[in-house]
Amino acid sequence: NDEGGEFVLGEIMSVMRKVMDEVLSEQKSYSAAMVKTWSDEIINKCLSYVKKDKEKYKYFVTVTILESKREGKSGAYAQVGCHYDAEKDHTYQQRWENPFIICLLHIHRVAY
């Protein structure tokens, strides 16, 4: 956190990457049966982190987990749009992948 208690971009991006690594890096295949478990764990870990923010923000966390095809033909793209106060609100996004899984993680911070 910086002096004002607000999360800095590099810090939250680092946490997002760390959380995805912790949950997904040991996975050697995509498992439809495990996607909800992985998603819940990623979301809960991110929410635990952002709850430490002392500023008045609401946080929304979204995660998309896709199967990566071995032929190298997999792809994923996500875009979020909203109308907000560019001075106070922010959307953070990270993409993580291995040969089996693609994960798209977004954290939305909205002042209230």
Side-chain angles (χ1 to χ4, degrees), residues 60-112:
F60 303 87
V61 179
T62 61
V63 62
T64 303
I65 297 177
L66 306 158
E67 181 175 15
S68 181
K69 300 293 184 188
R70 293 178 189 251
E71 299 85 42
K73 296 182 182 178
S74 296
Y77 175 81
Q79 181 171 327
V80 176
C82 65
H83 177 73
Y84 63 77
D85 182 340
E87 294 292 317
K88 298 178 183 177
D89 304 333
H90 194 77
T91 295
Y92 305 90
Q93 59 185 11
Q94 276 280 11
R95 178 184 173 122
W96 182 98
E97 61 186 289
N98 70 13
F100 315 102
I101 299 167
I102 299 169
C103 182
L104 307 170
L105 178 60
H106 293 88
I107 297 179
H108 313 280
R109 180 186 76 190
V110 181
Y112 62 94

Side-chain angles (χ1 to χ4, degrees), residues 1-8 11-12 15 18-19 22 43-59 61 107 109 112:
N1 291 12
D2 67 14
E3 294 175 18
E6 184 177 307
F7 290 121
V8 293
E11 182 181 349
I12 202 160
V15 167
K18 179 182 173 190
V19 166
E22 286 175 3
I43 288 170
N44 289 329
K45 285 180 180 218
C46 287
L47 288 174
S48 290
Y49 173 76
V50 298
K51 284 180 187 176
K52 298 173 187 173
D53 190 357
K54 302 300 181 208
E55 299 295 320
K56 292 192 174 197
Y57 293 106
K58 291 182 181 180
Y59 286 91
V61 179
I107 297 179
R109 180 186 76 190
Y112 62 94

Side-chain angles (χ1 to χ4, degrees), residues 10-52:
E11 182 181 349
I12 202 160
M13 298 295 278
S14 176
V15 167
M16 293 169 75
R17 170 62 74 183
K18 179 182 173 190
V19 166
M20 290 186 289
D21 280 341
E22 286 175 3
V23 175
L24 299 172
S25 65
E26 297 297 318
Q27 304 308 318
K28 301 301 181 205
S29 66
Y30 175 86
S31 169
M34 289 299 296
V35 169
K36 181 172 178 2
T37 300
W38 297 336
S39 295
D40 287 345
E41 191 172 348
I42 290 168
I43 288 170
N44 289 329
K45 285 180 180 218
C46 287
L47 288 174
S48 290
Y49 173 76
V50 298
K51 284 180 187 176
K52 298 173 187 173

